[in-house]
Amino acid sequence: RFLSLLIIAAAFVIGGATAFCSSTVSMQRRSPRLPLPNLQARRQHNEEPEDVIPSFHRRSLLASTFAAAYCSCCFPSSADAVIELTQPSTKLRPRSKLIDSIFADQMATGMTDYEKEVEKYKAELFQKLFNSIGGENSSGTSIPVIVEVGMGTFPNAKYYAQALSSSTIELKGLDIVGVDPNSSMSSYAQDNARLYGLSSSLRTVNGVAEDLPFADGSVDAIVTTLTLCSVVDQTKALSEIRRVLKPNGGKFLFWEHVLSEDNKTLALQQALLNPVQTFSADGCHLNRRTGMNIQKVFDGKVDLNYMTLEGKWVIAPTTFGIATV
């Protein structure tokens, strides 16, 4: 009887797992249209998005040279571009363009209820981040470099816009670099960037969390939301995140679903369904203790929180917070 129930549960998860989580470094939904904050030097909300891809999203000649080994990076012509991208040391694993396209579309539309549930918590978290970064960087500008690992469809765009407009630190702009192995996510991310007035701030690059294309100590802040569940090697990914963060103050904002800490029945369900989830949701794991691993890599310098969301079943247990280098 137990085996029969497990098979039924597995069939259920296969049908709906892609709505639960992101892929290898986060596949997320397209954000709903919300009022755009009044941001200086950014487009107003009543402007219609351009039908063409901005110039900074075109493939560069350099990227095309390495097309056989790597997906192209996107270098903007915007003044907000501060950090230079480096060449990854490893090749990306082959991916199916068809599956990636389907998954990106599902994540752009299938996480609406989840994002509504977590909106107030994410907004507070991003505000804390923006209130803690600023000042002149190595290039002499007050434009922080923020890397979102597993950006997906960029559902966090609204939090960047809201936090930027109300930050206690005056910033001249942002240099946001989205890293994701699924190139089909990029168009959704660019749409959300335009929607929230961040077009001049965003670049996207194909890559993985275990091999970030940035120099040591070059990034002001890194963001992951529903990402670390899907990376192949979580410890290596976290170590890589710490490597590229600036010493003495670099920030790491995270929001991740994890193994339940306070519900043994739910934890058992997560463990039993994990193989099905991993197979059907592009590497997403239900049984990781991500908060514990973050504390280890960041030597305990972590504002760590845990909660269980209502009605989200196996992805309800959540750890979130900000770690500091």
Side-chain angles (χ1 to χ4, degrees):
R1 180 180 300 177
F2 178 79
L3 181 59
S4 298
L5 291 174
L6 179 59
I7 292 174
I8 293 173
F12 174 80
V13 172
I14 290 175
T18 53
F20 279 129
C21 186
S22 52
S23 69
T24 315
V25 303
S26 183
M27 317 302 177
Q28 302 172 327
R29 69 169 187 89
R30 187 186 311 209
S31 299
R33 290 182 176 268
L34 293 178
L36 174 68
N38 182 18
L39 301 179
Q40 184 179 7
R42 278 164 169 73
R43 296 180 183 174
Q44 298 300 314
H45 181 54
N46 58 4
E47 290 183 351
E48 291 296 324
E50 298 176 358
D51 292 331
V52 296
I53 298 176
S55 60
F56 63 80
H57 189 59
R58 292 196 299 259
R59 293 184 177 181
S60 67
L61 291 177
L62 177 61
S64 64
T65 303
F66 298 98
Y70 305 101
C71 296
S72 63
C73 298
C74 304
F75 298 88
S77 58
S78 165
D80 284 4
V82 175
I83 195 171
E84 293 185 4
L85 306 185
T86 62
Q87 182 179 333
S89 60
T90 58
K91 297 181 180 179
L92 296 180
R93 66 177 177 84
R95 300 182 64 90
S96 167
K97 291 184 178 180
L98 176 60
I99 293 177
D100 279 357
S101 178
I102 294 173
F103 202 93
D105 183 69
Q106 289 176 333
M107 298 313 298
T109 59
M111 295 292 284
T112 303
D113 290 341
Y114 179 90
E115 291 293 338
K116 287 181 179 179
E117 176 73 18
V118 305
E119 181 174 357
K120 63 179 180 180
Y121 304 107
K122 276 191 176 183
E124 293 177 2
L125 196 59
F126 273 85
Q127 193 64 64
K128 288 181 180 179
L129 175 67
F130 274 73
N131 288 342
S132 65
I133 60 175
E136 290 191 354
N137 54 30
S138 58
S139 63
T141 67
S142 56
I143 300 178
V145 176
I146 303 180
V147 174
E148 181 154 342
V149 182
M151 174 170 280
T153 61
F154 201 18
N156 295 324
K158 61 183 175 183
Y159 305 119
Y160 285 80
Q162 292 168 0
L164 180 61
S165 66
S166 56
S167 174
T168 57
I169 300 174
E170 184 177 354
L171 302 174
K172 294 181 180 180
L174 295 174
D175 184 11
I176 306 171
V177 183
V179 180
D180 203 292
N182 185 343
S183 59
S184 296
M185 296 288 184
S186 182
S187 61
Y188 293 103
Q190 297 291 351
D191 285 347
N192 275 327
R194 283 192 290 269
L195 179 61
Y196 290 98
L198 298 171
S199 290
S200 65
S201 299
L202 177 65
R203 291 179 280 175
T204 59
V205 56
N206 288 112
V208 294
E210 295 89 343
D211 190 9
L212 296 174
F214 309 99
D216 295 356
S218 61
V219 176
D220 293 287
I222 286 184
V223 172
T224 69
T225 61
L226 301 184
T227 296
L228 296 175
C229 60
S230 302
V231 296
V232 176
D233 187 334
Q234 190 176 93
T235 300
K236 185 176 180 180
L238 289 169
S239 297
E240 186 73 349
I241 287 172
R242 176 161 183 168
R243 176 187 69 80
V244 303
L245 283 172
K246 292 181 178 179
N248 303 318
K251 303 293 183 180
F252 171 40
L253 181 155
F254 56 93
W255 177 279
E256 302 290 341
H257 72 76
V258 293
L259 182 70
S260 178
E261 297 179 3
D262 53 12
N263 187 324
K264 292 183 179 180
T265 300
L266 178 56
L268 177 60
Q269 292 173 335
Q270 290 175 302
L272 292 173
L273 295 174
N274 188 65
V276 179
Q277 175 78 349
T278 304
F279 174 77
S280 61
D282 202 1
C284 170
H285 291 72
L286 299 171
N287 62 348
R288 287 184 168 175
R289 292 185 168 90
T290 304
M292 182 186 303
N293 291 334
I294 292 174
Q295 285 186 313
K296 289 179 180 179
V297 172
F298 283 84
D299 301 323
K301 298 178 181 179
V302 185
D303 176 17
L304 185 66
N305 303 276
Y306 174 86
M307 66 181 298
T308 301
L309 301 172
E310 293 291 334
K312 301 306 174 187
W313 192 29
V314 290
I315 63 166
T318 302
T319 188
F320 60 98
I322 298 176
T324 304
V325 177

